[in-house]
């Protein structure tokens, strides 16, 4: 496994738990030290326990060079990051440099190896960019000396290990049948549909999955913003719309927009690919534009209720991009906090897992160790993640808020609106009609 981030570590533990012998390498030596001790560098339910178990069973080991990772392996998974460039297109520099180093290792080996591109890469990348680098640096032909295939990952942060062990489907993109046999063998014990296609199609499936999920969210948010103007509760609308047997009700909930390391970057990369091939991706652009705007709705509501924000103290409950993770990448808390600071507000944040990572981005705001501490002395509060701990809060906690305003950015307290209002708390949300 090359790259021990969310995808690499979870894939490594999953495959080790299935009985394979997995060797792990990452360029980050500190991360390797942690993994070797059995400490998970990321916060994911059950991951650290399973990591310790596979280490103890001798099924997972750490090496300090890519050559050592490759030398004893039949299959090499590339799981490094593929971030966005400033123009939204994919930055392949990390994966290309791994391919270069990997090829140099393959050059001095007589064994056939299967190289698996697990990182998300836009259609055509494996054939046109990765294979040529592997061929040049190894001095061998793809399909003769080594094979290459694409195996995109669909795990969701927050339930990554569970998704790794029980995926909805496994997609394998092949260049030749030899790699198909290797991959089918590796995934034989996984009880889910296996979709075998060519490499370009496998790459596209990953981007289209994320783009469609992101589109559903932006669609729900667009409808919520219109519902706001009409005094209609968007949940009642989407709840009924989602009952249509032709639709899946998931991802139709309105809120502050999508974040994370994948949706914004993958939709941007797909839009950039469209542009590169001469197509103007109008829908994908709109999905991103609306998502960028959506946190503004919370600031608008805040100003409607409390007036000027200068000098006001505002609590953000939930800092990560979603519950169950410490990942701040793409979190909607980032533009919200930035806007609040621009307006001269003071911000106090609380997150059960992500405060340390949030501190790296916003070292000068306050961080609370509990919800009560976060609310104490604050004027208003924005709930930014749908963490169950917020849904289960004793609502009397909100009585300390100066303005009494709770903006429920994820509809976690919608079921308690009546109770909140009976305590004099102002409950506002995205697509939640304002009480007359
Ligand atoms: N995070 C997710 O939920 C998710 C889900 C599906 C797919 N993906 C995709 O999987 C890929 C990896 O995502 P991630 O979230 O795991 O990324 P990440 O940033 O968490 O991890 C990437 C890891 O690769 C390591 N790395 C970078 N360069 C290296 C090199 N030259 N040699 C060895 N290691 C190197 C980094 O140190 C880091 O530990 C991306 O393409 C992403 O789009 C991510």
């Amino acid at each position: 496994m090359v790259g021990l981030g969310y995808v690499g570590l979870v894939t490594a533990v999953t495959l080790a738990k299935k009985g394979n012998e997995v060797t792990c390498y990452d360029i980050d030596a500190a991360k390797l030290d942690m993994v070797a001790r059995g400490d998970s560098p990321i916060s994911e339910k059950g991951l650290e326990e399973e990591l310790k178990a596979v280490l103890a069973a001798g099924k997972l080991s750490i090496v300090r060079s890519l050559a050592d990772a490759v030398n004893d392996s039949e299959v090499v998974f590339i799981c490094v990051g593929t971030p966005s460039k400033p123009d939204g297109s994919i930055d392949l520099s990390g994966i290309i440099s791994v391919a270069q180093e990997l090829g140099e290792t393959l050059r001095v080996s007589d064994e056939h190896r299967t190289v698996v591109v697990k990182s998300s890469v836009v259609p055509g990348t494996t054939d046109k960019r990765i294979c040529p680098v592997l061929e040049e640096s190894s001095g061998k032909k793809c399909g003769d000396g080594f094979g290459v295939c694409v195996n995109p990952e669909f795990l969701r942060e927050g339930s990554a290990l569970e998704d790794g062990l029980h995926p909805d489907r496994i997609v394998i993109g092949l260049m030749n049948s030899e790699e198909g046999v290797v991959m089918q063998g590796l995934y034989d014990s996984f009880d889910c549909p296996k979709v075998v296609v060519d490499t370009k199609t496998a790459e596209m499936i990953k981007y289209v999955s994320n783009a469609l999920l992101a589109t559903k969210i932006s669609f729900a948010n667009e409808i919520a913003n219109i519902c706001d103007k009409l005094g209609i509760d968007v949940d009642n609308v989407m709840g009924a719309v989602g009952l249509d047997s032709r639709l899946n009700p998931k991802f139709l909930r309105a809120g502050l927009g999508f974040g994370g390391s994948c949706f914004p970057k993958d939709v941007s990369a797909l839009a950039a690919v469209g542009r590169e091939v001469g197509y103007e991706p109008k829908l994908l652009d709109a999905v991103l534009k609306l998502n960028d705007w959506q946190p503004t709705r919370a600031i608008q509501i805040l100003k409607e209720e409390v007036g000027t924000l200068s000098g006001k103290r505002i609590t953000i409950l939930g800092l990560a991009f979603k519950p169950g993770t410490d990942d701040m990448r793409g979190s909607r808390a980032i533009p919200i906090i930035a806007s609040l600071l621009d307006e001269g507000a003071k911000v106090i944040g609380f997150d059960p897992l992500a405060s340390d990572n949030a501190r790296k981005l916003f070292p000068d705001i306050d961080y609370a160790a509990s919800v009560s501490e976060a609310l104490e002395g604050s004027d208003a509060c924005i709930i930014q993640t749908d963490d169950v701990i917020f849904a289960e809060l004793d609502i009397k906690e909100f009585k300390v808020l100066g303005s009494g305003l709770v903006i429920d950015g994820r509809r976690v307290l919608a079921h308690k609106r009546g109770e909140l209002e009976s305590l004099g708390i102002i409950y506002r949300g995205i697509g939640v009609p304002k009480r007359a």
Side-chain angles (χ1 to χ4, degrees):
M1 207 63 59
V2 182
L4 287 185
Y6 288 83
V7 169
L9 187 58
V10 169
T11 308
V13 170
T14 302
L15 291 177
K17 203 172 146 58
K18 290 278 185 184
N20 300 287
E21 290 184 9
V22 184
T23 312
C24 299
Y25 168 67
D26 196 288
I27 202 166
D28 179 343
K31 196 174 265 192
L32 284 180
D33 291 341
M34 280 188 84
V35 175
R37 288 196 304 270
D39 296 335
S40 172
I42 53 171
S43 189
E44 275 295 334
K45 198 169 48 188
L47 185 60
E48 193 159 282
E49 292 80 350
E50 292 297 349
L51 170 63
K52 285 184 172 27
V54 290
L55 278 167
K59 289 290 177 193
L60 187 143
S61 58
I62 300 302
V63 289
R64 302 282 166 172
S65 76
L66 189 132
D68 286 342
V70 173
N71 281 340
D72 289 335
S73 304
E74 291 157 65
V75 184
V76 182
F77 280 86
I78 306 180
C79 304
V80 298
T82 46
S84 298
K85 288 187 195 163
D87 67 357
S89 65
I90 189 168
D91 179 352
L92 292 171
S93 54
I95 198 162
I96 294 294
S97 102
V98 169
Q100 172 74 31
E101 204 183 333
L102 183 54
E104 286 159 15
T105 306
L106 295 175
R107 181 180 277 274
V108 290
S109 162
D110 296 330
E111 304 289 322
H112 180 96
R113 291 209 173 68
T114 301
V115 177
V116 183
V117 178
K118 200 159 197 43
S119 301
S120 304
V121 290
V122 294
T125 303
T126 301
D127 290 17
K128 293 201 184 114
R129 302 289 307 279
I130 297 174
C131 282
V133 173
L134 282 168
E135 288 185 336
E136 203 186 315
S137 53
S138 67
K140 296 179 178 171
K141 288 301 281 177
C142 187
D144 180 16
F146 69 93
V148 176
C149 66
V150 172
N151 174 218
E153 179 54 55
F154 299 94
L155 64 77
R156 296 162 300 172
E157 288 181 27
S159 54
L161 185 63
E162 178 60 21
D163 291 348
L165 287 165
H166 304 287
D168 289 339
R169 78 295 208 193
I170 291 170
V171 174
I172 301 169
L174 293 178
M175 284 176 172
N176 57 49
S177 54
E178 195 172 339
E179 267 47 65
V181 175
V182 174
M183 296 306 283
Q184 296 275 11
L186 194 60
Y187 286 128
D188 196 36
S189 65
F190 288 75
D191 182 21
C192 67
K194 286 144 198 158
V195 181
V196 180
V197 287
D198 60 54
T199 50
K200 201 158 64 171
T201 306
E203 291 164 338
M204 190 64 165
I205 290 168
K206 171 65 197 170
Y207 282 82
V208 174
S209 297
N210 278 355
L212 183 54
L213 291 167
T215 303
K216 285 184 84 175
I217 295 172
S218 276
F219 177 80
N221 285 335
E222 178 113 297
I223 300 303
N225 297 340
I226 298 171
C227 282
D228 266 343
K229 303 266 182 201
L230 296 173
I232 297 168
D233 189 320
V234 72
D235 259 12
N236 293 339
V237 176
M238 285 311 188
V241 168
L243 293 175
D244 190 316
S245 59
R246 294 164 299 179
L247 294 168
N248 179 322
K250 292 177 184 165
F251 281 71
L252 285 180
R253 296 198 65 195
L256 294 167
F258 54 80
S261 67
C262 292
F263 283 11
K265 127 179 132 60
D266 290 355
V267 180
S268 301
L270 187 57
V273 166
R275 252 178 224 106
E276 265 168 48
V277 294
Y279 175 77
E280 193 59 30
K282 301 166 210 57
L283 180 60
L284 298 177
D285 282 347
V287 166
L288 291 167
K289 196 168 164 195
L290 180 63
N291 197 57
D292 284 346
W293 183 82
Q294 202 61 17
T296 313
R297 185 69 197 115
I299 305 295
Q300 284 180 343
I301 297 173
L302 199 52
K303 286 185 179 169
E304 277 170 34
E305 296 290 348
V306 306
T308 176
L309 299 178
S310 180
K312 298 266 167 39
R313 189 168 168 84
I314 312 295
T315 300
I316 312 292
L317 294 183
L319 298 169
F321 85 93
K322 68 174 186 178
T325 177
D326 58 355
D327 196 348
M328 286 294 295
R329 293 180 290 184
S331 170
R332 301 294 79 194
I334 297 171
I336 291 173
I337 295 172
S339 298
L340 291 172
L341 295 176
D342 277 354
E343 298 275 350
K346 297 188 185 97
V347 178
I348 177 156
F350 168 77
D351 191 291
L353 300 169
S355 292
D356 287 346
N357 285 341
R359 206 174 266 115
K360 292 175 199 155
L361 298 173
F362 296 105
D364 298 327
I365 69 165
D366 291 335
Y367 293 90
S370 65
V371 174
S372 353
E373 192 188 320
L375 296 174
E376 191 66 48
S378 210
D379 290 290
C381 143
I382 300 173
I383 302 177
Q384 195 281 127
T385 58
D386 53 350
D387 199 311
V388 70
I389 63 169
F390 305 141
E392 289 172 354
L393 273 178
D394 177 351
I395 53 167
K396 291 193 201 78
E397 298 240 26
F398 292 106
K399 280 181 74 177
V400 299
L401 291 171
S403 69
L405 172 66
V406 173
I407 300 177
D408 188 353
R410 303 290 178 186
R411 314 282 296 228
V412 288
L413 290 174
H415 60 298
K416 293 185 178 169
R417 180 177 189 179
E419 275 179 80
L420 285 158
E421 288 173 344
S422 69
L423 292 176
I425 291 160
I426 307 164
Y427 178 85
R428 297 287 309 270
I430 296 177
V432 179
K434 190 178 174 179
R435 290 269 198 244

